[in-house]
Coordinates of all heavy atoms in Angstrom, one line a residue:
M506 N 116.6 106.5 83.7 CA 116.4 105.4 84.8 C 115.5 104.5 84.3 O 114.4 104.8 83.7 CB 115.9 106.1 86.2 CG 115.8 105.2 87.1 SD 115.4 106.0 88.7 CE 116.1 105.0 89.8
S507 N 115.8 103.2 84.6 CA 114.9 102.0 84.3 C 114.2 101.5 85.6 O 114.9 101.3 86.5 CB 115.8 101.0 83.5 OG 114.9 100.0 83.2
Y508 N 113.0 101.2 85.4 CA 112.2 100.5 86.6 C 111.9 99.2 86.3 O 111.4 98.8 85.2 CB 111.0 101.4 86.8 CG 111.2 102.8 87.2 CD1 111.1 103.7 86.2 CD2 111.6 103.2 88.5 CE1 111.3 105.1 86.5 CE2 111.8 104.5 88.8 CZ 111.6 105.5 87.8 OH 112.0 106.7 88.1
Q509 N 112.2 98.3 87.2 CA 112.0 96.8 87.0 C 110.6 96.5 87.7 O 110.4 96.8 88.9 CB 113.1 96.0 87.8 CG 114.4 96.4 87.2 CD 114.6 96.0 85.7 OE1 114.1 94.8 85.4 NE2 115.3 96.7 85.0
I510 N 109.7 95.8 86.9 CA 108.3 95.6 87.5 C 108.0 94.0 87.2 O 108.3 93.6 86.0 CB 107.4 96.4 86.8 CG1 107.5 97.9 86.9 CG2 105.9 96.1 87.2 CD1 106.7 98.7 86.1
L511 N 107.7 93.4 88.3 CA 107.3 92.0 88.2 C 105.9 92.0 88.0 O 105.0 92.6 88.8 CB 107.6 91.3 89.5 CG 107.1 89.8 89.6 CD1 107.7 89.0 88.4 CD2 107.4 89.1 90.9
V512 N 105.4 91.4 86.8 CA 104.0 91.2 86.6 C 103.7 89.6 86.7 O 104.2 88.8 86.0 CB 103.7 91.7 85.2 CG1 102.3 91.5 84.9 CG2 104.1 93.1 84.9
T513 N 102.8 89.3 87.6 CA 102.6 88.0 88.0 C 101.6 87.2 87.2 O 101.2 86.0 87.5 CB 102.1 87.8 89.6 OG1 100.8 88.4 89.8 CG2 103.1 88.5 90.4
A514 N 101.1 87.8 86.2 CA 100.0 87.3 85.3 C 100.2 87.8 83.9 O 100.6 89.0 83.8 CB 98.7 87.3 85.8
L515 N 99.7 87.1 83.0 CA 99.7 87.7 81.6 C 98.7 89.0 81.6 O 97.6 89.0 82.2 CB 99.1 86.7 80.6 CG 99.9 85.5 80.3 CD1 99.3 84.4 79.5 CD2 101.3 86.0 79.6
I516 N 99.2 89.9 80.8 CA 98.4 91.1 80.6 C 98.3 91.3 79.1 O 99.3 90.9 78.3 CB 98.9 92.5 81.3 CG1 100.4 92.6 80.9 CG2 98.9 92.3 82.7 CD1 100.9 93.9 81.4
P517 N 97.2 91.8 78.6 CA 97.0 92.1 77.1 C 98.2 92.8 76.6 O 98.6 93.7 77.1 CB 95.7 92.7 77.0 CG 95.0 92.6 78.4 CD 96.1 92.3 79.4
E518 N 98.5 92.4 75.3 CA 99.5 93.0 74.5 C 99.2 94.7 74.4 O 100.1 95.5 74.4 CB 99.6 92.4 73.0 CG 100.6 93.2 72.3 CD 102.1 93.1 72.7 OE1 102.4 92.1 73.4 OE2 102.8 94.0 72.6
Q519 N 97.9 94.9 74.3 CA 97.5 96.3 74.1 C 97.9 97.2 75.4 O 98.4 98.3 75.2 CB 96.1 96.5 73.9 CG 95.5 97.9 73.8 CD 94.0 97.9 73.5 OE1 93.3 96.9 73.4 NE2 93.4 99.1 73.5
S520 N 97.7 96.5 76.5 CA 98.1 97.2 77.8 C 99.7 97.3 78.0 O 100.2 98.2 78.3 CB 97.6 96.4 78.9 OG 96.2 96.3 79.0
R521 N 100.4 96.2 77.4 CA 101.9 96.4 77.5 C 102.4 97.5 76.6 O 103.4 98.0 77.0 CB 102.5 95.0 77.2 CG 102.3 94.0 78.2 CD 103.1 92.8 77.7 NE 102.1 91.8 77.2 CZ 102.3 90.7 76.6 NH1 103.6 90.3 76.5 NH2 101.2 90.1 76.1
R522 N 101.8 97.7 75.5 CA 102.2 98.7 74.6 C 102.1 100.1 75.2 O 102.8 101.0 74.7 CB 101.5 98.6 73.3 CG 102.0 97.4 72.4 CD 101.5 97.6 71.0 NE 100.0 97.7 70.9 CZ 99.2 96.7 70.6 NH1 99.8 95.6 70.1 NH2 98.0 96.8 70.5
Q523 N 101.3 100.3 76.1 CA 101.0 101.6 76.7 C 102.1 101.9 77.9 O 102.1 103.0 78.3 CB 99.5 101.6 77.3 CG 98.5 101.6 76.2 CD 97.2 101.6 76.7 OE1 96.9 101.9 77.9 NE2 96.3 101.2 75.9
I524 N 102.8 100.9 78.2 CA 103.8 101.2 79.2 C 105.1 101.7 78.6 O 105.6 101.2 77.7 CB 104.1 99.8 79.9 CG1 102.8 99.3 80.6 CG2 105.2 100.0 81.1 CD1 102.9 97.8 81.1
P525 N 105.5 102.9 79.3 CA 106.7 103.6 78.8 C 107.9 102.7 78.7 O 108.1 101.7 79.5 CB 106.9 104.7 79.9 CG 105.5 105.0 80.5 CD 104.9 103.5 80.5
G526 N 108.8 103.1 77.9 CA 110.0 102.2 77.6 C 111.0 102.1 78.9 O 111.8 101.2 78.8
D527 N 110.9 103.0 79.8 CA 111.9 103.0 81.0 C 111.3 102.0 81.9 O 111.9 101.9 83.0 CB 112.1 104.4 81.4 CG 110.8 105.2 81.8 OD1 109.8 104.8 81.4 OD2 111.0 106.2 82.6
F528 N 110.2 101.3 81.7 CA 109.8 100.4 82.6 C 110.0 98.9 82.0 O 109.6 98.6 80.9 CB 108.1 100.4 82.9 CG 107.8 101.7 83.6 CD1 107.6 102.8 83.0 CD2 107.6 101.5 85.0 CE1 107.3 103.9 83.8 CE2 107.2 102.5 85.7 CZ 107.1 103.8 85.1
Q529 N 110.8 98.1 82.7 CA 111.2 96.8 82.3 C 110.3 95.8 83.0 O 110.3 95.7 84.2 CB 112.7 96.5 82.5 CG 113.7 97.5 81.9 CD 113.5 97.6 80.4 OE1 113.6 96.5 79.8 NE2 113.4 98.8 80.0
L530 N 109.5 95.1 82.2 CA 108.6 94.1 82.8 C 109.1 92.7 82.7 O 109.6 92.3 81.8 CB 107.3 94.1 81.9 CG 106.6 95.5 81.7 CD1 105.4 95.3 80.9 CD2 106.2 96.1 83.1
D531 N 108.9 92.1 83.8 CA 109.3 90.7 84.0 C 108.0 90.0 84.2 O 107.4 90.0 85.2 CB 110.1 90.4 85.2 CG 110.6 88.9 85.4 OD1 110.2 88.1 84.6 OD2 111.3 88.8 86.4
I532 N 107.4 89.4 83.1 CA 106.0 88.8 83.1 C 105.9 87.4 83.2 O 106.7 86.7 82.4 CB 105.2 89.3 81.9 CG1 105.2 90.8 81.7 CG2 103.9 88.7 81.8 CD1 104.6 91.3 80.4
F533 N 105.3 86.9 84.1 CA 105.0 85.5 84.3 C 104.0 85.0 83.2 O 103.0 85.4 83.0 CB 104.3 85.2 85.7 CG 104.2 83.7 86.1 CD1 105.2 83.0 86.3 CD2 103.0 83.1 86.0 CE1 105.2 81.5 86.6 CE2 102.8 81.7 86.4 CZ 103.9 81.0 86.6
T534 N 104.6 84.1 82.3 CA 103.9 83.9 81.2 C 103.3 82.5 81.1 O 102.5 82.2 80.1 CB 104.9 83.9 80.0 OG1 105.9 82.8 80.2 CG2 105.5 85.2 79.7
E535 N 103.2 81.8 82.2 CA 102.4 80.6 82.3 C 100.9 80.7 82.3 O 100.5 81.8 82.7 CB 102.9 79.8 83.5 CG 104.3 79.7 83.8 CD 104.7 78.1 83.3 OE1 103.9 77.3 83.1 OE2 106.0 78.2 83.0
Q536 N 100.1 79.8 81.8 CA 98.7 79.8 81.7 C 98.1 79.4 83.0 O 97.0 78.6 83.0 CB 98.2 79.1 80.5 CG 98.6 79.5 79.2 CD 98.0 80.8 78.9 OE1 96.9 81.1 79.2 NE2 98.7 81.7 78.2
R537 N 98.7 79.7 84.2 CA 98.3 79.3 85.5 C 98.7 80.4 86.4 O 99.6 81.2 86.1 CB 98.7 78.0 85.8 CG 100.3 77.9 85.9 CD 100.8 76.7 86.5 NE 102.3 76.7 86.4 CZ 103.1 77.4 87.4 NH1 102.6 78.1 88.3 NH2 104.4 77.3 87.4
P538 N 98.1 80.4 87.6 CA 98.5 81.4 88.5 C 99.9 81.1 89.1 O 100.4 79.9 89.2 CB 97.5 81.2 89.7 CG 96.4 80.5 89.2 CD 96.8 79.7 88.0
M539 N 100.7 82.0 89.4 CA 102.0 82.1 89.9 C 101.8 81.5 91.4 O 101.0 82.1 92.2 CB 102.6 83.3 90.0 CG 104.1 83.3 90.3 SD 104.7 85.0 90.2 CE 106.3 84.7 89.3
T540 N 102.5 80.5 91.8 CA 102.5 80.1 93.2 C 103.1 81.0 94.2 O 103.9 81.8 93.7 CB 103.0 78.6 93.4 OG1 104.5 78.7 93.3 CG2 102.4 77.7 92.4
Y541 N 102.7 80.9 95.3 CA 103.4 81.9 96.3 C 105.0 81.5 96.4 O 105.7 82.5 96.4 CB 102.8 81.5 97.8 CG 103.5 82.5 98.8 CD1 103.1 83.9 98.9 CD2 104.4 82.0 99.8 CE1 103.7 84.7 99.8 CE2 105.0 82.8 100.7 CZ 104.7 84.2 100.7 OH 105.2 85.0 101.7
Q542 N 105.3 80.3 96.3 CA 106.7 79.9 96.4 C 107.5 80.4 95.1 O 108.6 81.0 95.2 CB 107.0 78.4 96.4 CG 106.6 77.9 97.8 CD 107.3 78.5 99.0 OE1 108.5 78.7 98.9 NE2 106.6 78.9 100.1
E543 N 106.9 80.4 94.0 CA 107.5 81.0 92.8 C 107.6 82.5 92.9 O 108.6 83.1 92.5 CB 106.6 80.8 91.5 CG 106.7 79.2 91.2 CD 105.7 78.8 90.1 OE1 104.6 79.4 90.1 OE2 106.0 78.1 89.1
L544 N 106.5 83.2 93.4 CA 106.6 84.6 93.6 C 107.7 85.0 94.6 O 108.5 86.0 94.4 CB 105.2 85.0 94.1 CG 105.0 86.5 94.4 CD1 105.3 87.4 93.2 CD2 103.6 86.9 94.9
L545 N 107.7 84.3 95.6 CA 108.8 84.6 96.7 C 110.2 84.3 96.0 O 111.1 85.1 96.4 CB 108.6 83.7 97.9 CG 109.3 84.0 99.1 CD1 109.2 85.4 99.7 CD2 109.0 83.0 100.3
H546 N 110.3 83.3 95.3 CA 111.7 83.0 94.8 C 112.0 84.2 93.8 O 113.2 84.6 93.8 CB 111.6 81.7 94.0 CG 112.9 81.3 93.4 ND1 114.0 80.9 94.0 CD2 113.2 81.4 92.0 CE1 114.9 80.7 93.1 NE2 114.4 80.9 91.8
K547 N 111.1 84.6 92.9 CA 111.3 85.7 92.0 C 111.8 87.0 92.7 O 112.8 87.6 92.2 CB 110.2 85.9 91.1 CG 110.0 85.1 89.9 CD 110.9 85.5 89.0 CE 110.4 85.7 87.6 NZ 111.3 85.8 86.6
V548 N 111.1 87.2 93.8 CA 111.3 88.5 94.5 C 112.8 88.4 95.2 O 113.6 89.3 95.2 CB 110.3 88.7 95.5 CG1 110.7 89.8 96.5 CG2 108.9 89.2 94.8
R549 N 113.2 87.2 95.7 CA 114.4 87.1 96.4 C 115.6 87.1 95.4 O 116.6 87.6 95.6 CB 114.4 85.7 97.1 CG 113.6 85.7 98.4 CD 113.7 84.4 99.1 NE 113.1 84.4 100.4 CZ 112.5 83.4 101.0 NH1 112.6 82.3 100.3 NH2 112.0 83.5 102.1
Q550 N 115.3 86.6 94.1 CA 116.4 86.5 93.1 C 116.6 87.9 92.4 O 117.6 88.1 91.7 CB 116.0 85.4 92.0 CG 115.8 84.0 92.6 CD 117.3 83.6 92.9 OE1 118.3 83.9 92.3 NE2 117.5 82.7 93.9
N551 N 115.6 88.8 92.4 CA 115.6 90.0 91.6 C 115.3 91.2 92.4 O 114.8 91.0 93.5 CB 114.5 89.9 90.4 CG 114.9 88.7 89.6 OD1 115.7 88.8 88.7 ND2 114.1 87.8 89.8
S552 N 115.6 92.4 91.9 CA 115.5 93.5 92.6 C 114.4 94.3 91.9 O 114.6 95.0 90.8 CB 116.7 94.4 92.8 OG 116.6 95.6 93.5
Y553 N 113.1 94.3 92.4 CA 112.0 95.0 91.7 C 111.6 96.3 92.3 O 111.7 96.5 93.5 CB 110.7 94.1 91.7 CG 111.0 92.8 90.8 CD1 111.1 91.7 91.5 CD2 111.1 92.7 89.4 CE1 111.3 90.5 90.8 CE2 111.2 91.7 88.7 CZ 111.4 90.5 89.3 OH 111.5 89.4 88.7
D554 N 111.3 97.3 91.4 CA 110.7 98.5 92.0 C 109.3 98.5 92.3 O 108.7 99.1 93.1 CB 110.9 99.6 90.9 CG 112.4 99.9 90.6 OD1 113.1 100.6 91.5 OD2 112.9 99.5 89.6
A555 N 108.7 97.5 91.6 CA 107.2 97.4 91.7 C 106.7 95.9 91.5 O 107.4 95.2 90.7 CB 106.4 98.4 90.8
I556 N 105.6 95.6 92.0 CA 105.0 94.3 91.7 C 103.5 94.5 91.2 O 102.8 95.3 92.0 CB 105.0 93.4 92.9 CG1 106.4 92.9 93.4 CG2 104.1 92.1 92.6 CD1 106.4 92.2 94.7
L557 N 103.2 94.0 90.0 CA 101.8 94.1 89.7 C 101.2 92.7 89.7 O 101.6 91.9 89.0 CB 101.8 94.7 88.2 CG 100.3 94.7 87.5 CD1 99.4 95.5 88.3 CD2 100.5 95.2 86.1
G558 N 100.4 92.5 90.8 CA 100.0 91.1 91.0 C 98.6 90.9 90.7 O 97.9 91.9 90.1
C559 N 98.0 89.8 90.8 CA 96.7 89.4 90.5 C 95.9 89.1 91.8 O 96.5 89.0 92.9 CB 96.6 88.4 89.4 SG 97.1 86.7 90.0
Y560 N 94.6 88.8 91.6 CA 93.9 88.6 92.9 C 94.3 87.3 93.6 O 94.0 87.3 94.7 CB 92.4 88.4 92.4 CG 92.0 87.3 91.5 CD1 91.5 86.1 92.1 CD2 92.1 87.4 90.2 CE1 91.3 85.0 91.3 CE2 91.8 86.2 89.4 CZ 91.4 85.0 89.9 OH 91.1 84.1 89.1
E561 N 95.0 86.4 92.9 CA 95.4 85.1 93.6 C 96.6 85.2 94.3 O 97.1 84.3 95.1 CB 95.5 84.1 92.6 CG 94.1 83.7 91.9 CD 94.2 82.8 90.9 OE1 95.2 82.7 90.1 OE2 93.2 82.0 90.7
D562 N 97.3 86.4 94.2 CA 98.7 86.4 94.8 C 98.6 86.9 96.3 O 97.8 87.9 96.6 CB 99.6 87.5 94.1 CG 99.9 87.1 92.7 OD1 100.1 86.0 92.4 OD2 100.0 88.1 91.8
C563 N 99.3 86.2 97.0 CA 99.3 86.6 98.5 C 100.5 87.6 98.7 O 101.6 87.2 98.7 CB 99.6 85.4 99.4 SG 99.6 85.9 101.1
I564 N 100.2 88.9 99.0 CA 101.2 89.9 99.2 C 101.3 90.1 100.7 O 100.4 90.9 101.3 CB 100.9 91.2 98.5 CG1 100.6 91.0 97.1 CG2 102.0 92.2 98.7 CD1 101.8 90.4 96.2
D565 N 102.3 89.5 101.4 CA 102.3 89.5 102.8 C 103.6 90.0 103.3 O 104.5 90.3 102.6 CB 102.0 88.1 103.4 CG 103.0 86.9 103.0 OD1 103.9 87.2 102.3 OD2 102.6 85.8 103.3
E566 N 103.9 90.0 104.6 CA 105.0 90.5 105.2 C 106.4 89.8 104.7 O 107.4 90.5 104.4 CB 105.0 90.6 106.8 CG 106.1 91.2 107.4 CD 106.0 91.5 108.8 OE1 104.9 91.1 109.4 OE2 106.9 92.1 109.5
P567 N 106.3 88.4 104.8 CA 107.6 87.8 104.2 C 108.0 88.1 102.9 O 109.1 88.4 102.5 CB 107.3 86.3 104.4 CG 106.2 86.2 105.5 CD 105.4 87.5 105.3
L568 N 107.0 88.2 102.0 CA 107.2 88.6 100.6 C 107.8 90.1 100.5 O 108.8 90.3 99.8 CB 106.0 88.6 99.8 CG 106.1 88.8 98.4 CD1 106.8 87.7 97.5 CD2 104.9 89.3 97.7
L569 N 107.1 91.0 101.2 CA 107.7 92.4 101.2 C 109.1 92.5 101.8 O 109.8 93.3 101.3 CB 106.6 93.3 102.0 CG 105.3 93.3 101.3 CD1 104.3 94.1 102.3 CD2 105.2 94.1 100.0
Q570 N 109.3 91.8 102.8 CA 110.7 91.9 103.4 C 111.6 91.3 102.4 O 112.8 91.8 102.4 CB 110.7 91.0 104.7 CG 110.0 91.8 105.8 CD 110.1 91.1 107.2 OE1 110.4 89.9 107.2 NE2 109.7 91.7 108.3
A571 N 111.3 90.1 101.8 CA 112.2 89.6 100.7 C 112.4 90.5 99.6 O 113.4 90.5 99.1 CB 111.6 88.2 100.2
A572 N 111.5 91.4 99.3 CA 111.7 92.3 98.1 C 112.6 93.5 98.5 O 113.3 93.9 97.6 CB 110.3 93.0 97.8
G573 N 112.8 93.8 99.7 CA 113.7 94.8 100.2 C 113.2 96.2 100.0 O 112.1 96.5 99.6
D574 N 114.2 97.2 100.2 CA 113.8 98.6 100.2 C 113.7 99.2 98.8 O 113.0 100.2 98.7 CB 115.0 99.4 100.9 CG 115.2 99.1 102.3 OD1 114.1 98.7 102.9 OD2 116.2 99.3 103.0
K575 N 114.2 98.4 97.7 CA 113.9 99.1 96.4 C 112.4 99.1 96.0 O 112.0 99.8 95.2 CB 114.7 98.2 95.4 CG 114.6 98.9 94.0 CD 115.5 98.1 93.0 CE 115.5 98.8 91.7 NZ 116.1 98.1 90.5
L576 N 111.7 97.9 96.5 CA 110.2 98.0 96.1 C 109.5 99.1 96.8 O 109.5 99.4 97.9 CB 109.6 96.6 96.8 CG 108.1 96.3 96.4 CD1 107.9 95.9 95.0 CD2 107.6 95.3 97.3
K577 N 108.9 99.9 95.8 CA 108.3 101.1 96.2 C 106.6 101.0 95.9 O 105.9 101.9 96.5 CB 108.7 102.1 95.4 CG 110.1 102.5 95.6 CD 110.4 102.9 97.0 CE 112.0 103.2 97.2 NZ 112.4 102.9 98.5
L578 N 106.3 100.0 95.1 CA 104.8 99.9 94.8 C 104.3 98.6 94.5 O 105.1 97.7 94.0 CB 104.6 100.7 93.4 CG 103.3 100.7 92.8 CD1 102.3 101.5 93.6 CD2 103.3 101.1 91.4
V579 N 103.2 98.3 95.0 CA 102.5 97.0 94.9 C 101.1 97.4 94.4 O 100.3 98.1 95.1 CB 102.4 96.1 96.2 CG1 101.6 94.9 95.9 CG2 103.8 95.7 96.6
S580 N 100.6 96.8 93.2 CA 99.4 97.0 92.7 C 98.7 95.7 92.4 O 99.5 94.7 92.1 CB 99.5 97.9 91.4 OG 98.2 98.0 90.9
V581 N 97.5 95.6 92.6 CA 96.8 94.2 92.5 C 95.7 94.4 91.4 O 94.9 95.4 91.6 CB 96.2 93.7 93.8 CG1 95.7 92.4 93.6 CG2 97.3 93.7 94.8
M582 N 95.6 93.6 90.3 CA 94.8 93.6 89.4 C 93.5 92.7 89.9 O 93.3 91.6 89.7 CB 95.3 92.9 88.1 CG 96.3 93.6 87.5 SD 96.9 92.7 86.0 CE 98.1 91.6 86.7
S583 N 92.7 93.5 90.7 CA 91.4 92.9 91.3 C 90.5 93.9 91.7 O 90.9 95.3 91.8 CB 91.7 92.0 92.5 OG 92.2 92.8 93.6
N584 N 89.4 93.6 92.2 CA 88.5 94.7 92.8 C 88.3 94.5 94.3 O 87.4 94.9 94.9 CB 87.0 94.6 92.1 CG 86.5 93.2 92.2 OD1 87.2 92.2 92.6 ND2 85.2 93.0 91.9
G585 N 89.4 94.0 94.9 CA 89.5 93.8 96.3 C 91.0 93.8 96.8 O 91.9 93.6 96.0
I586 N 91.2 94.0 98.0 CA 92.6 94.0 98.5 C 92.7 93.0 99.7 O 93.7 93.0 100.4 CB 93.1 95.3 99.0 CG1 92.2 95.9 100.0 CG2 93.3 96.3 97.7 CD1 92.6 97.2 100.6
E587 N 91.8 92.0 99.8 CA 91.9 91.1 101.0 C 93.1 90.2 100.9 O 93.5 89.6 101.8 CB 90.7 90.2 101.0 CG 90.2 89.6 99.9 CD 89.3 90.5 98.9 OE1 88.8 91.5 99.3 OE2 89.3 90.1 97.7
N588 N 93.8 90.1 99.7 CA 95.0 89.3 99.7 C 96.3 90.1 100.0 O 97.4 89.6 99.8 CB 95.0 88.6 98.2 CG 95.1 89.6 97.1 OD1 94.3 90.7 97.2 ND2 95.8 89.4 96.0
V589 N 96.1 91.3 100.4 CA 97.4 92.3 100.6 C 97.3 92.4 102.1 O 96.3 92.9 102.7 CB 97.3 93.6 99.8 CG1 98.4 94.4 100.2 CG2 97.2 93.3 98.3
D590 N 98.5 92.2 102.8 CA 98.6 92.5 104.1 C 99.0 94.0 104.3 O 100.0 94.4 104.2 CB 99.8 91.6 104.7 CG 99.9 91.8 106.2 OD1 99.4 92.9 106.8 OD2 100.7 91.1 106.8
L591 N 98.0 94.8 104.4 CA 98.0 96.2 104.5 C 99.0 96.6 105.7 O 99.7 97.6 105.6 CB 96.7 97.0 104.6 CG 95.9 96.7 103.4 CD1 94.5 97.4 103.6 CD2 96.6 97.2 102.1
A592 N 99.0 96.0 106.7 CA 99.8 96.4 107.9 C 101.2 96.1 107.6 O 102.1 96.9 108.1 CB 99.4 95.5 109.1
A593 N 101.6 95.2 106.8 CA 103.0 94.9 106.4 C 103.5 96.0 105.3 O 104.7 96.2 105.2 CB 103.1 93.6 105.9
C594 N 102.5 96.6 104.7 CA 102.9 97.6 103.7 C 103.4 98.8 104.4 O 104.0 99.7 103.9 CB 101.8 97.9 102.7 SG 101.4 96.6 101.7

């Protein structure tokens, strides 16, 4: 089984090499933060099992609804969760 993961920011190559082969990463490779509209568009266009976001991503109810039932995990690369709508999770 293969898992589809959206990664909304660049992560170090060393970290990517540690991810098992059954995880397929869709990594946003721009040298800027992903906009909310870009994130929403990606989620609507694809079927992800997980989203690995960064501190600038807004993870809210419309985004989670757009992701659908396949989405099982949201992780944020930050030391806070104020950008995640916990009630919507």
Side-chain angles (χ1 to χ4, degrees):
M506 179 175 216
S507 179
Y508 299 98
Q509 302 295 320
I510 302 172
L511 174 61
V512 182
T513 68
L515 289 173
I516 55 175
E518 180 63 33
Q519 179 181 359
S520 297
R521 281 186 269 172
R522 285 194 302 255
Q523 295 177 14
I524 297 171
D527 54 345
F528 290 86
Q529 303 300 313
L530 303 181
D531 183 359
I532 301 173
F533 184 71
T534 58
E535 304 268 337
Q536 294 292 325
R537 62 172 177 79
M539 186 178 229
T540 68
Y541 181 77
Q542 290 305 318
E543 289 171 324
L544 178 56
L545 191 57
H546 179 75
K547 274 289 228 189
V548 167
R549 285 182 176 149
Q550 295 289 332
N551 300 281
S552 184
Y553 294 108
D554 296 287
I556 297 173
L557 176 55
C559 68
Y560 67 92
E561 294 173 326
D562 297 324
C563 177
I564 309 296
D565 60 5
E566 187 170 1
L568 182 80
L569 295 171
Q570 287 181 351
D574 292 338
K575 187 176 179 193
L576 183 69
K577 301 295 183 218
L578 175 73
V579 174
S580 181
V581 181
M582 297 178 277
S583 74
N584 55 349
I586 55 172
E587 51 277 340
N588 58 326
V589 179
D590 182 349
L591 297 178
C594 292

